[in-house]
Amino acid sequence: MRKYIIMGVQGCGKGTQAKLLCAGYDLTHLCVGDIFRWNVQNHTKLAARIKRIMASGNLVGDEVVEEIVRRRLDEHDWNYGFVLDGFPRNRPQAEFFLESYDIDATILIEVPDEVTRERIQARRLCAKCGLDYNLMFHRPAQDGVCDVCKGKLVQRLDDNEEAIRTRLKNYHEKTAPIIELFKRKELVVVVDGTRSPDAIQADIRRQLKLPQV
Ligand code: AMP
């Protein structure tokens, strides 16, 4: 069983790295942002409470987030382990998590803000199947159209200039300080996220001492 948290500023590539790690070792990708986006897309009861907060780039309230994480982990569909992506994002969430769960390591992907800003603005998402694209590294064959399902590619609601500013501010003020907390309690693996996705993944696996697959 392998249990990891992946952290880093928005646009650092943590979603991509989490997916590569999960694919390699049969882990389950638990992404809080994806759970929220699914709710918004499907107009659930929860969506009404979180839609505006998400679009502004602010953090959803801790009680709501903690409940979502608790419920998701309680599903126990992660036989070989998980990569938790997008949680915790502030001290209360980190304390809640450390009180109730244990993990093997926290992966921290470091990328300067100027780089993530550019990457986020180039980010596109298929409105139909949810596949991620980036106009800098992973362009669709046809502009604005998903390669897989031919759905329309759109920008995330919170990938606009103002929301990005809020998200980066929140990251530096609220999320970055909790890394110290994890450093004291757990193993923190720091990787340079400015390299290619494959090079970053290889570095993560090497630092986690994972067997080659
Ligand atoms: P992400 O895709 O991880 O950038 O998450 C998208 C949005 O979902 C964030 O900007 C927040 O509004 C919300 N969100 C995701 N994870 C959390 C969290 N741990 N705490 C509070 N809000 C969150």
Side-chain angles (χ1 to χ4, degrees):
M1 176 87 69
R2 298 182 172 112
K3 293 183 277 182
Y4 304 118
I5 288 180
I6 194 156
M7 290 179 72
V9 71
Q10 287 74 16
C12 71
K14 55 185 185 319
T16 304
Q17 293 303 325
K19 282 178 195 142
L20 290 170
L21 198 57
C22 288
Y25 299 91
D26 272 335
L27 309 179
T28 303
H29 183 201
L30 308 178
C31 177
V32 177
D34 282 352
I35 297 175
F36 285 160
R37 276 183 288 279
W38 181 90
N39 277 274
V40 170
Q41 218 165 4
N42 291 282
H43 309 286
T44 64
K45 241 187 187 175
L46 175 65
R49 293 167 66 190
I50 61 173
K51 195 175 170 183
R52 250 188 309 144
I53 301 174
M54 284 180 76
S56 69
N58 279 301
L59 294 180
V60 171
D62 293 337
E63 271 177 35
V64 174
V65 182
E66 286 166 14
E67 179 60 25
I68 290 288
V69 171
R70 196 195 331 259
R71 263 199 264 151
R72 186 62 192 85
L73 286 170
D74 281 353
E75 283 179 31
H76 284 283
D77 56 345
W78 35 276
N79 294 338
Y80 297 103
F82 59 76
V83 179
L84 185 53
D85 168 358
F87 183 90
R89 277 204 170 145
N90 59 21
R91 182 171 275 270
Q93 291 180 13
E95 283 167 353
F96 154 83
F97 187 80
L98 290 170
E99 270 166 26
S100 320
Y101 304 95
D102 60 344
I103 45 157
D104 298 299
T106 300
I107 303 155
L108 173 66
I109 306 182
E110 287 192 326
V111 174
D113 281 6
E114 316 83 74
V115 178
T116 63
R117 228 181 267 272
E118 265 180 36
R119 286 189 191 174
I120 294 173
Q121 267 152 356
R123 193 146 77 171
R124 296 292 181 277
L125 190 74
C126 174
K128 207 162 142 197
C129 73
L131 197 69
D132 295 310
Y133 291 83
N134 191 294
L135 304 183
M136 291 159 74
F137 328 107
H138 175 208
R139 295 187 71 89
Q142 191 186 342
D143 274 355
V145 180
C146 177
D147 292 344
V148 178
C149 76
K150 304 292 172 211
K152 189 176 168 208
L153 300 189
V154 294
Q155 259 193 310
R156 270 172 51 167
L157 268 183
D158 56 354
D159 280 351
N160 63 71
E161 186 95 26
E162 201 182 327
I164 293 170
R165 209 173 315 125
T166 307
R167 287 154 72 204
L168 290 177
K169 186 168 177 280
N170 274 330
Y171 179 80
H172 291 295
E173 285 180 9
K174 297 181 178 153
T175 310
I178 63 174
I179 292 158
E180 286 310 311
L181 211 91
F182 280 95
K183 276 190 180 155
R184 260 182 269 144
K185 295 213 170 201
E186 313 281 344
L187 171 68
V188 177
V189 156
V190 184
V191 294
D192 168 5
T194 59
R195 298 163 298 165
S196 73
D198 287 346
I200 300 168
Q201 182 66 197
D203 193 6
I204 292 174
R205 292 182 184 196
R206 184 183 53 76
Q207 291 203 53
L208 292 176
K209 299 188 173 53
L210 288 168
Q212 294 227 345
V213 284

mmCIF file of all heavy atoms in Angstrom, residues 10 14 31-34 36-37 53-54 57-62 65 85-89 93 123 156 158 167, ligand 1:
data_model
loop_
_atom_site.group_PDB
_atom_site.id
_atom_site.type_symbol
_atom_site.label_atom_id
_atom_site.label_comp_id
_atom_site.label_asym_id
_atom_site.label_seq_id
_atom_site.Cartn_x
_atom_site.Cartn_y
_atom_site.Cartn_z
ATOM 1 N N GLN A 10 -0.613 26.107 -8.269
ATOM 2 C CA GLN A 10 -1.495 25.805 -9.406
ATOM 3 C C GLN A 10 -0.691 25.849 -10.700
ATOM 4 O O GLN A 10 0.110 26.762 -10.893
ATOM 5 C CB GLN A 10 -2.617 26.853 -9.501
ATOM 6 C CG GLN A 10 -3.671 26.709 -8.427
ATOM 7 C CD GLN A 10 -3.214 27.166 -7.061
ATOM 8 O OE1 GLN A 10 -2.211 27.861 -6.933
ATOM 9 N NE2 GLN A 10 -3.925 26.788 -6.025
ATOM 10 N N LYS A 14 0.879 19.059 -11.045
ATOM 11 C CA LYS A 14 0.641 17.967 -10.086
ATOM 12 C C LYS A 14 -0.408 16.983 -10.570
ATOM 13 O O LYS A 14 -0.301 15.787 -10.299
ATOM 14 C CB LYS A 14 0.351 18.462 -8.670
ATOM 15 C CG LYS A 14 -0.759 19.435 -8.476
ATOM 16 C CD LYS A 14 -0.755 19.863 -7.020
ATOM 17 C CE LYS A 14 -1.915 20.759 -6.664
ATOM 18 N NZ LYS A 14 -2.292 21.784 -7.625
ATOM 19 N N CYS A 31 -8.600 13.493 -6.485
ATOM 20 C CA CYS A 31 -8.389 14.907 -6.782
ATOM 21 C C CYS A 31 -9.607 15.717 -6.338
ATOM 22 O O CYS A 31 -10.693 15.604 -6.917
ATOM 23 C CB CYS A 31 -8.135 15.082 -8.271
ATOM 24 S SG CYS A 31 -7.961 16.799 -8.715
ATOM 25 N N VAL A 32 -9.395 16.525 -5.304
ATOM 26 C CA VAL A 32 -10.505 17.282 -4.721
ATOM 27 C C VAL A 32 -11.098 18.253 -5.752
ATOM 28 O O VAL A 32 -12.313 18.365 -5.891
ATOM 29 C CB VAL A 32 -10.028 18.027 -3.450
ATOM 30 C CG1 VAL A 32 -11.128 18.880 -2.877
ATOM 31 C CG2 VAL A 32 -9.539 17.026 -2.421
ATOM 32 N N GLY A 33 -10.242 18.932 -6.511
ATOM 33 C CA GLY A 33 -10.731 19.870 -7.540
ATOM 34 C C GLY A 33 -11.614 19.158 -8.556
ATOM 35 O O GLY A 33 -12.656 19.675 -8.971
ATOM 36 N N ASP A 34 -11.222 17.941 -8.949
ATOM 37 C CA ASP A 34 -12.023 17.168 -9.919
ATOM 38 C C ASP A 34 -13.384 16.792 -9.322
ATOM 39 O O ASP A 34 -14.401 16.822 -10.010
ATOM 40 C CB ASP A 34 -11.302 15.866 -10.335
ATOM 41 C CG ASP A 34 -10.207 16.124 -11.361
ATOM 42 O OD1 ASP A 34 -10.111 17.273 -11.847
ATOM 43 O OD2 ASP A 34 -9.446 15.182 -11.662
ATOM 44 N N PHE A 36 -14.996 18.450 -7.077
ATOM 45 C CA PHE A 36 -15.793 19.688 -7.082
ATOM 46 C C PHE A 36 -16.287 20.001 -8.495
ATOM 47 O O PHE A 36 -17.441 20.358 -8.688
ATOM 48 C CB PHE A 36 -14.983 20.859 -6.532
ATOM 49 C CG PHE A 36 -14.818 20.839 -5.038
ATOM 50 C CD1 PHE A 36 -13.801 21.551 -4.430
ATOM 51 C CD2 PHE A 36 -15.694 20.128 -4.230
ATOM 52 C CE1 PHE A 36 -13.641 21.547 -3.052
ATOM 53 C CE2 PHE A 36 -15.549 20.117 -2.855
ATOM 54 C CZ PHE A 36 -14.518 20.828 -2.272
ATOM 55 N N ARG A 37 -15.386 19.877 -9.499
ATOM 56 C CA ARG A 37 -15.793 20.200 -10.882
ATOM 57 C C ARG A 37 -16.889 19.249 -11.343
ATOM 58 O O ARG A 37 -17.818 19.648 -12.031
ATOM 59 C CB ARG A 37 -14.585 20.156 -11.838
ATOM 60 C CG ARG A 37 -13.804 21.464 -11.852
ATOM 61 C CD ARG A 37 -12.666 21.430 -12.848
ATOM 62 N NE ARG A 37 -11.586 20.578 -12.405
ATOM 63 C CZ ARG A 37 -10.656 20.953 -11.526
ATOM 64 N NH1 ARG A 37 -10.662 22.162 -11.004
ATOM 65 N NH2 ARG A 37 -9.703 20.125 -11.146
ATOM 66 N N ILE A 53 -17.468 30.302 -5.367
ATOM 67 C CA ILE A 53 -16.174 30.353 -4.653
ATOM 68 C C ILE A 53 -15.069 29.857 -5.584
ATOM 69 O O ILE A 53 -14.006 30.461 -5.704
ATOM 70 C CB ILE A 53 -16.213 29.460 -3.386
ATOM 71 C CG1 ILE A 53 -17.326 29.913 -2.461
ATOM 72 C CG2 ILE A 53 -14.869 29.452 -2.688
ATOM 73 C CD1 ILE A 53 -17.545 29.019 -1.254
ATOM 74 N N MET A 54 -15.339 28.750 -6.283
ATOM 75 C CA MET A 54 -14.331 28.193 -7.187
ATOM 76 C C MET A 54 -14.012 29.160 -8.323
ATOM 77 O O MET A 54 -12.850 29.357 -8.669
ATOM 78 C CB MET A 54 -14.827 26.877 -7.779
ATOM 79 C CG MET A 54 -14.758 25.731 -6.816
ATOM 80 S SD MET A 54 -15.365 24.239 -7.577
ATOM 81 C CE MET A 54 -14.008 23.785 -8.646
ATOM 82 N N GLY A 57 -11.577 31.728 -7.481
ATOM 83 C CA GLY A 57 -10.227 31.282 -7.131
ATOM 84 C C GLY A 57 -10.017 31.150 -5.631
ATOM 85 O O GLY A 57 -8.922 30.869 -5.174
ATOM 86 N N ASN A 58 -11.084 31.347 -4.864
ATOM 87 C CA ASN A 58 -10.948 31.216 -3.408
ATOM 88 C C ASN A 58 -11.103 29.764 -2.956
ATOM 89 O O ASN A 58 -11.555 28.915 -3.722
ATOM 90 C CB ASN A 58 -11.976 32.105 -2.717
ATOM 91 C CG ASN A 58 -11.483 33.539 -2.655
ATOM 92 O OD1 ASN A 58 -10.421 33.811 -2.086
ATOM 93 N ND2 ASN A 58 -12.217 34.435 -3.285
ATOM 94 N N LEU A 59 -10.748 29.533 -1.703
ATOM 95 C CA LEU A 59 -10.839 28.172 -1.179
ATOM 96 C C LEU A 59 -12.247 27.899 -0.651
ATOM 97 O O LEU A 59 -12.844 28.749 0.015
ATOM 98 C CB LEU A 59 -9.835 27.964 -0.039
ATOM 99 C CG LEU A 59 -8.355 28.011 -0.419
ATOM 100 C CD1 LEU A 59 -7.496 27.782 0.819
ATOM 101 C CD2 LEU A 59 -8.026 26.969 -1.477
ATOM 102 N N VAL A 60 -12.734 26.720 -0.935
ATOM 103 C CA VAL A 60 -14.020 26.268 -0.404
ATOM 104 C C VAL A 60 -13.824 26.042 1.105
ATOM 105 O O VAL A 60 -12.718 25.709 1.553
ATOM 106 C CB VAL A 60 -14.426 24.957 -1.129
ATOM 107 C CG1 VAL A 60 -15.627 24.313 -0.490
ATOM 108 C CG2 VAL A 60 -14.666 25.237 -2.614
ATOM 109 N N GLY A 61 -14.888 26.222 1.901
ATOM 110 C CA GLY A 61 -14.786 26.097 3.361
ATOM 111 C C GLY A 61 -14.246 24.741 3.808
ATOM 112 O O GLY A 61 -14.541 23.712 3.205
ATOM 113 N N ASP A 62 -13.477 24.773 4.901
ATOM 114 C CA ASP A 62 -12.811 23.554 5.373
ATOM 115 C C ASP A 62 -13.775 22.409 5.670
ATOM 116 O O ASP A 62 -13.489 21.253 5.368
ATOM 117 C CB ASP A 62 -12.010 23.858 6.648
ATOM 118 C CG ASP A 62 -10.846 24.789 6.358
ATOM 119 O OD1 ASP A 62 -10.411 24.838 5.192
ATOM 120 O OD2 ASP A 62 -10.396 25.469 7.286
ATOM 121 N N VAL A 65 -14.822 20.684 2.495
ATOM 122 C CA VAL A 65 -13.700 19.963 1.878
ATOM 123 C C VAL A 65 -13.367 18.703 2.683
ATOM 124 O O VAL A 65 -13.181 17.615 2.129
ATOM 125 C CB VAL A 65 -12.449 20.871 1.794
ATOM 126 C CG1 VAL A 65 -11.310 20.139 1.112
ATOM 127 C CG2 VAL A 65 -12.758 22.145 1.051
ATOM 128 N N ASP A 85 -4.550 14.719 -4.295
ATOM 129 C CA ASP A 85 -4.133 15.881 -5.088
ATOM 130 C C ASP A 85 -5.076 17.055 -4.762
ATOM 131 O O ASP A 85 -6.286 16.946 -4.921
ATOM 132 C CB ASP A 85 -4.227 15.426 -6.570
ATOM 133 C CG ASP A 85 -4.111 16.530 -7.583
ATOM 134 O OD1 ASP A 85 -3.985 17.689 -7.204
ATOM 135 O OD2 ASP A 85 -4.145 16.193 -8.783
ATOM 136 N N GLY A 86 -4.509 18.141 -4.274
ATOM 137 C CA GLY A 86 -5.332 19.327 -4.000
ATOM 138 C C GLY A 86 -5.797 19.412 -2.558
ATOM 139 O O GLY A 86 -6.616 20.253 -2.214
ATOM 140 N N PHE A 87 -5.265 18.584 -1.713
ATOM 141 C CA PHE A 87 -5.624 18.589 -0.301
ATOM 142 C C PHE A 87 -4.446 18.051 0.502
ATOM 143 O O PHE A 87 -3.854 17.075 0.067
ATOM 144 C CB PHE A 87 -6.837 17.690 -0.058
ATOM 145 C CG PHE A 87 -7.322 17.708 1.369
ATOM 146 C CD1 PHE A 87 -8.276 18.613 1.775
ATOM 147 C CD2 PHE A 87 -6.800 16.816 2.304
ATOM 148 C CE1 PHE A 87 -8.704 18.643 3.091
ATOM 149 C CE2 PHE A 87 -7.223 16.844 3.614
ATOM 150 C CZ PHE A 87 -8.183 17.760 4.003
ATOM 151 N N PRO A 88 -4.106 18.631 1.632
ATOM 152 C CA PRO A 88 -4.675 19.811 2.273
ATOM 153 C C PRO A 88 -4.135 21.115 1.682
ATOM 154 O O PRO A 88 -3.067 21.132 1.079
ATOM 155 C CB PRO A 88 -4.233 19.660 3.726
ATOM 156 C CG PRO A 88 -2.984 18.846 3.675
ATOM 157 C CD PRO A 88 -3.080 17.976 2.471
ATOM 158 N N ARG A 89 -4.877 22.190 1.903
ATOM 159 C CA ARG A 89 -4.472 23.481 1.343
ATOM 160 C C ARG A 89 -4.313 24.576 2.386
ATOM 161 O O ARG A 89 -4.026 25.700 2.041
ATOM 162 C CB ARG A 89 -5.510 23.934 0.335
ATOM 163 C CG ARG A 89 -5.279 23.290 -1.000
ATOM 164 C CD ARG A 89 -5.870 24.120 -2.084
ATOM 165 N NE ARG A 89 -5.421 23.585 -3.330
ATOM 166 C CZ ARG A 89 -6.158 23.569 -4.431
ATOM 167 N NH1 ARG A 89 -7.344 24.084 -4.423
ATOM 168 N NH2 ARG A 89 -5.683 23.070 -5.528
ATOM 169 N N GLN A 93 -6.905 22.121 7.476
ATOM 170 C CA GLN A 93 -7.062 20.895 6.670
ATOM 171 C C GLN A 93 -5.898 19.931 6.927
ATOM 172 O O GLN A 93 -6.091 18.711 7.017
ATOM 173 C CB GLN A 93 -7.119 21.225 5.180
ATOM 174 C CG GLN A 93 -8.373 21.964 4.752
ATOM 175 C CD GLN A 93 -8.383 22.282 3.256
ATOM 176 O OE1 GLN A 93 -7.591 21.760 2.479
ATOM 177 N NE2 GLN A 93 -9.303 23.148 2.862
ATOM 178 N N ARG A 123 -3.900 26.398 -20.561
ATOM 179 C CA ARG A 123 -4.585 25.154 -20.207
ATOM 180 C C ARG A 123 -5.982 25.086 -20.837
ATOM 181 O O ARG A 123 -6.705 26.082 -20.838
ATOM 182 C CB ARG A 123 -4.699 25.133 -18.684
ATOM 183 C CG ARG A 123 -5.080 23.848 -18.074
ATOM 184 C CD ARG A 123 -4.413 23.680 -16.755
ATOM 185 N NE ARG A 123 -5.043 24.473 -15.699
ATOM 186 C CZ ARG A 123 -4.720 24.342 -14.416
ATOM 187 N NH1 ARG A 123 -3.804 23.479 -14.047
ATOM 188 N NH2 ARG A 123 -5.306 25.083 -13.513
ATOM 189 N N ARG A 156 -10.893 26.501 -18.038
ATOM 190 C CA ARG A 156 -11.564 26.373 -16.749
ATOM 191 C C ARG A 156 -12.046 27.748 -16.318
ATOM 192 O O ARG A 156 -11.390 28.747 -16.602
ATOM 193 C CB ARG A 156 -10.558 25.854 -15.713
ATOM 194 C CG ARG A 156 -10.519 24.365 -15.608
ATOM 195 C CD ARG A 156 -9.403 23.880 -14.744
ATOM 196 N NE ARG A 156 -9.324 24.517 -13.420
ATOM 197 C CZ ARG A 156 -8.573 24.060 -12.436
ATOM 198 N NH1 ARG A 156 -7.855 22.968 -12.610
ATOM 199 N NH2 ARG A 156 -8.515 24.677 -11.282
ATOM 200 N N ASP A 158 -11.925 29.139 -13.565
ATOM 201 C CA ASP A 158 -11.002 29.836 -12.664
ATOM 202 C C ASP A 158 -9.611 30.015 -13.271
ATOM 203 O O ASP A 158 -8.675 30.377 -12.589
ATOM 204 C CB ASP A 158 -10.914 29.122 -11.312
ATOM 205 C CG ASP A 158 -10.521 27.659 -11.444
ATOM 206 O OD1 ASP A 158 -10.430 27.160 -12.575
ATOM 207 O OD2 ASP A 158 -10.302 27.023 -10.396
ATOM 208 N N ARG A 167 -5.617 32.636 -6.552
ATOM 209 C CA ARG A 167 -5.166 31.269 -6.250
ATOM 210 C C ARG A 167 -3.685 31.246 -5.873
ATOM 211 O O ARG A 167 -3.285 30.531 -4.956
ATOM 212 C CB ARG A 167 -5.444 30.350 -7.445
ATOM 213 C CG ARG A 167 -6.942 30.040 -7.561
ATOM 214 C CD ARG A 167 -7.348 29.709 -8.975
ATOM 215 N NE ARG A 167 -6.878 28.430 -9.412
ATOM 216 C CZ ARG A 167 -6.690 28.111 -10.700
ATOM 217 N NH1 ARG A 167 -6.927 28.993 -11.647
ATOM 218 N NH2 ARG A 167 -6.288 26.917 -11.024
HETATM 219 P P1 AMP B 1 -7.799 22.744 -8.250
HETATM 220 O O1 AMP B 1 -8.260 22.055 -9.473
HETATM 221 O O2 AMP B 1 -7.035 21.854 -7.323
HETATM 222 O O3 AMP B 1 -7.054 24.027 -8.558
HETATM 223 O O4 AMP B 1 -9.114 23.168 -7.436
HETATM 224 C C1 AMP B 1 -10.081 24.003 -8.013
HETATM 225 C C2 AMP B 1 -10.801 24.800 -6.942
HETATM 226 O O5 AMP B 1 -11.491 23.895 -6.051
HETATM 227 C C3 AMP B 1 -9.917 25.630 -6.027
HETATM 228 O O6 AMP B 1 -9.564 26.888 -6.586
HETATM 229 C C4 AMP B 1 -10.823 25.781 -4.808
HETATM 230 O O7 AMP B 1 -11.852 26.723 -5.031
HETATM 231 C C5 AMP B 1 -11.454 24.394 -4.732
HETATM 232 N N1 AMP B 1 -10.622 23.491 -3.927
HETATM 233 C C6 AMP B 1 -9.935 22.391 -4.346
HETATM 234 N N2 AMP B 1 -9.296 21.802 -3.340
HETATM 235 C C7 AMP B 1 -9.557 22.553 -2.235
HETATM 236 C C8 AMP B 1 -9.167 22.472 -0.859
HETATM 237 N N3 AMP B 1 -8.379 21.503 -0.399
HETATM 238 N N4 AMP B 1 -9.644 23.423 -0.014
HETATM 239 C C9 AMP B 1 -10.465 24.400 -0.439
HETATM 240 N N5 AMP B 1 -10.858 24.543 -1.714
HETATM 241 C C10 AMP B 1 -10.416 23.629 -2.610
#
